[in-house]
Structures are given as C-alpha cells and as structure tokens.
Amino acid sequence: MNIKYSLFDFFKLRYSLKQLVQFENTDDVRKQKSRAAVILLSGFIIYSLIATFISSDSYMHGKVTNISIALFFLVIMIINKITGNHTNLCILGSFGLNSIMFFHFITEVDWSIGMDAFWLFILIIPFVTNYISGVVYGSISALSGLILSIVLFDTPLINYLQPYGQNMVDWFPIIYFVVMIVAAIMEYELTTYQIDKKISDDKIAYYQKERTQRLREQLAIYESNELTIRKYKHDIRHFNRVLSGFIDAKEYDRASEYLKEFDTMLEQVTVVSFCDNKIVNELLTIYASRCQKLGFKMRAKAIIPERFPMEEIELTSLVANALENALEAQENVPKERRFIQFELTYDGRKLKLLTRNTCLHTVYFNDQGMPNSTKVIQSGIGTQQIRSIAEKYSGVASFSKENDTFIVKAIMTCI
C-alpha cells in the first residue's frame, strides 16, 4: 500500500495543464520567452547562412534548403517581434520548418550523401519548442517532427527518399517520440520550479510590503506618543498644582475625578511593549492603536520570547489574521460593546493562542468547523490560514461562538 501511494505521489502532477498554460501567458513570461525566441531564431539563421556558404558548390539542393530556412525564420522573428505571441508562432514555425524539410527530403536527387544531417536537426526540435512555448504549446509544436517522420518512413512516400538504413527507418519515429516525452518532462519540471519561485517571490514581496506598512504605522504611533508625552511633560506642573489645590481644600472627590480624567488622557499613549518578541510586539502595538481609534481598549496578554521555533512569516500571519478578523467584527458593533481579548503564550514547548471578541451577527460553520465568511466576496482565508499554520506545527485550531462572543483557540508544538 505504501509503495502504491508513493508511486501515485511521484507521478501526480503538481500543476494542471491549464495552470501551465496560464503561466505561459503571463506578461513577464511572454516577454522573456519572446526574447529567447528571437535569440534562438537569430542563431538558427546564422547557422543556416554559414551552412549555405561552407557546403559544396555542387550541392545546390542543400543551399536552397538552408536559404529557405533562414528566410522563413527571419519572417517568424519579425512577426514575433511585432506581436509578441511566442506560443502560436512556435507552432507555426515548427510546422513550417518541417514542411520545408518535407520538400527537401522528397526532392533530394543526390543519394550519395548518406544520412541527411537535417534529420539530426529535427531531433532537437522538441527541446527548442518546449523551451520557447512551454509544455503544452511546445509539445503541440513538436508533433510536427513526429508527423513528418511517420509520413515519410511509414507510408509509400519512403520510395521518394534516398535509401536510409533500416534502423533509421524503423526507429527514428520511436526515438523522436521518446525525445518528445523527455523534453516535455524536463520543461514541466523547469516550469513548476519557475511557478514555485514566482509564488515564493510574490509571497516574500507581500510580506515585505506588510512589514513596511507595519513599520510605518508603528512609527506613526511613536510620533504620536512623543507629541502626547511632550504635551503632558509641559503641563505636568499645572496638573500637580491643580491636584494639590483639591487636596489642600479637602475636595477629595474632585481630586479623584481629576486623577481619573488624567488617567484617561494617559491612555492616549499607546503601549509599545507587550512582550520580548518584536513581531508580536509590533502587531499588538498597531492593533491596539486601531482599537483606540474605534473607541475601546484591547485587552492583550503576550508571553513570547524574542526567538522561538516558528517561522517569522507564519507568526506574522497567525497573529495578524486573528487580530484582523476580530477588529473587522468590531466595526459593526456599538461603541459601548466593542471588545477584543487577545492572549498568546509560549511555555518552551506549546504555543497557545486565544482571542475573544464581540460578534453580534449570526455565524454559520461548515462540516469542518470553519466559519463561513460573511463578506460579499466569500473568502475565509484568515481562519483557514490560522488552521493551516496550527496543523503544520502538529496542532489544532478551533472556532466557536458563545452568545455574542466569537472565540478562536489554537495550540501548536514549537520545539
């Protein structure tokens, strides 16, 4: 059973043919492949011209074929330069080239030259077409060589060819087919690597953008705090005189109210140190500031060391998704009922996450216990990401709603 499973995984395609075609038609790939096509066509044109001049003057048949190939490739290169449609032109170029080869082979009159070198040239077509236009379009283009070999070697047209050896006649179509398969596999692996790299680069770019945005928000918080502190530092003597006056007059109730008012003003200074971990601290600082702008204070507890066994990208995603979902829910809650409780602790082995927030709308859960998105465009990406990260670290994540409180719990093993 294990062997069958491993073999199935080995031959399972990581990306569908549709995904490969979509990747080939992205702007960046089209530009890169169009440039590559121009370079390769230029090389073939130069080769054809050199072959024309160095071949024997008596072998005019070969000279005409080489010149025809050079002119045909020149036209293809110009059209490619204008349109940038490398996939369709690859198919056109391959079938056009093999049409020229067809007329060359059946009109050959000098049978003393032995095996024609153009057959070797045809063998490299699958590698060139797959590289230029990808697995799908490249394989379609490469079919031209297989069709040519079958038509000439397995039909009565073989009588118009010079007498090749029997091995050539029997095996060339098979060899060409094998070459097609090898070229397709190689290009598939190269393309999947490029897709993986693009996904990875896009993810890194996304998190860099998010990181930059967080730093900007945190800098704005620092600047706001600095202005507030400067203001209070300037007015602190005045506050002390007023408070001292209330106490001297034994107006203790007014003194108490004055202290509460002063304490409320101090809350405008956003706490910027929740724990030792910089990433968690940055995120909590930012979301605490956003909560203050919505008119309530987030209850946050974080006991996370500066370094522990979890990738920074995943830690960012875990915390940000939990807080973002909770904060979005508060926008539809009356100001006096807005509430977010966030706890994240690490004991050297287990990472535990808990969030509670007010949630007044009805939440429906699917068969997997995941909440259905209430957005116009259904996503559920945030909660799914939390569960995926928990499962990666041999843990679990649960989502529930008790009365008017939405609860997220997750526990992971990080050792």
Side-chain angles (χ1 to χ4, degrees), residues 65-344:
T65 300
N66 281 315
I67 293 175
S68 300
I69 293 173
L71 292 175
F72 177 70
F73 279 170
L74 179 62
V75 172
I76 293 294
M77 185 170 66
I78 293 173
I79 297 175
N80 177 73
K81 192 71 175 177
I82 295 173
T83 65
N85 192 340
H86 65 290
T87 53
N88 291 339
L89 286 175
C90 182
I91 297 174
L92 174 63
S94 176
F95 278 87
L97 172 64
N98 280 288
S99 297
I100 295 174
M101 294 292 97
F102 174 81
F103 287 106
H104 169 80
F105 292 134
I106 65 173
T107 58
E108 177 64 70
V109 294
D110 185 0
W111 288 7
S112 64
I113 61 174
M115 178 181 175
D116 203 315
F118 283 116
W119 284 109
L120 297 177
F121 183 68
I122 291 172
L123 274 178
I124 70 171
I125 287 178
F127 294 102
V128 176
T129 57
N130 273 273
Y131 176 75
I132 291 178
S133 56
V135 175
V136 177
Y137 294 110
S139 297
I140 294 174
S141 302
L143 283 174
S144 60
L146 182 63
I147 293 172
L148 177 67
S149 61
I150 292 175
V151 167
L152 291 181
F153 290 148
D154 295 329
T155 71
L157 287 174
I158 192 174
N159 296 321
Y160 291 88
L161 304 180
Q162 61 173 303
Y164 296 117
Q166 193 61 41
N167 280 341
M168 173 71 173
V169 174
D170 292 340
W171 287 97
F172 187 88
I174 298 174
I175 293 173
Y176 186 88
F177 180 75
V178 172
V179 170
M180 279 184 60
I181 299 299
V182 172
I185 293 174
M186 291 176 63
E187 182 59 28
Y188 178 82
E189 290 299 322
L190 177 61
T191 304
T192 54
Y193 169 78
Q194 291 173 330
I195 295 175
D196 288 342
K197 187 176 185 302
K198 185 177 185 304
I199 293 174
S200 176
D201 291 344
D202 289 345
K203 184 181 292 186
I204 291 173
Y206 169 78
Y207 282 112
Q208 286 178 337
K209 181 180 178 180
E210 288 291 308
R211 172 70 170 170
T212 301
Q213 181 63 27
R214 293 205 314 272
L215 289 176
R216 287 176 180 173
E217 291 187 25
Q218 193 170 25
L219 180 60
I221 292 171
Y222 286 145
E223 291 175 348
S224 176
N225 285 347
E226 184 178 3
L227 291 175
T228 304
I229 291 172
R230 285 181 179 179
K231 176 178 178 297
Y232 292 157
K233 183 177 181 181
H234 179 268
D235 294 341
I236 194 70
R237 292 180 181 177
H238 172 71
F239 292 141
N240 287 340
R241 291 193 189 102
V242 173
L243 182 61
S244 178
F246 286 144
I247 294 174
D248 291 341
K250 297 183 178 180
E251 299 179 8
Y252 301 119
D253 291 340
R254 296 188 62 185
S256 177
E257 292 177 1
Y258 186 77
L259 283 174
K260 291 179 180 178
E261 180 182 348
F262 185 69
D263 185 59
T264 300
M265 289 188 295
L266 286 178
E267 288 184 356
Q268 297 179 20
V269 180
T270 304
V271 178
V272 294
S273 181
F274 290 89
C275 65
D276 294 333
N277 188 278
K278 294 180 180 179
I279 292 176
V280 176
N281 198 63
E282 288 174 6
L283 291 168
L284 289 177
T285 300
I286 291 169
Y287 281 96
S289 176
R290 291 181 183 177
C291 290
Q292 285 186 355
K293 291 179 181 179
L294 287 178
F296 72 102
K297 187 175 182 180
M298 178 176 71
R299 294 169 54 185
K301 173 185 176 182
I303 305 176
I304 305 295
E306 182 177 359
R307 296 181 182 278
F308 73 108
M310 174 175 273
E311 294 184 13
E312 293 185 352
I313 289 178
E314 290 166 343
L315 178 61
T316 300
S317 180
L318 182 71
V319 177
N321 279 311
L323 289 173
E324 189 68 29
N325 289 343
L327 189 62
E328 284 183 359
Q330 304 317 295
E331 295 175 357
N332 300 317
V333 173
K335 184 176 181 180
E336 64 276 7
R337 297 194 60 183
R338 290 172 182 170
F339 164 77
I340 293 178
Q341 176 188 356
F342 176 89
E343 294 183 9
L344 187 69

Side-chain angles (χ1 to χ4, degrees), residues 7 17 41 52 104 156 181 228 261 272 338 363 373 404:
L7 288 176
L17 296 181
L41 288 171
T52 300
H104 169 80
I181 299 299
T228 304
E261 180 182 348
V272 294
R338 290 172 182 170
V363 179
S373 176
D404 291 336

Side-chain angles (χ1 to χ4, degrees), residues 386-405:
I386 293 173
R387 172 165 287 186
S388 297
I389 294 172
E391 290 176 349
K392 178 180 177 180
Y393 287 87
S394 303
V396 293
S398 65
F399 309 90
S400 61
K401 187 171 184 288
E402 298 178 2
N403 297 323
D404 291 336
T405 302

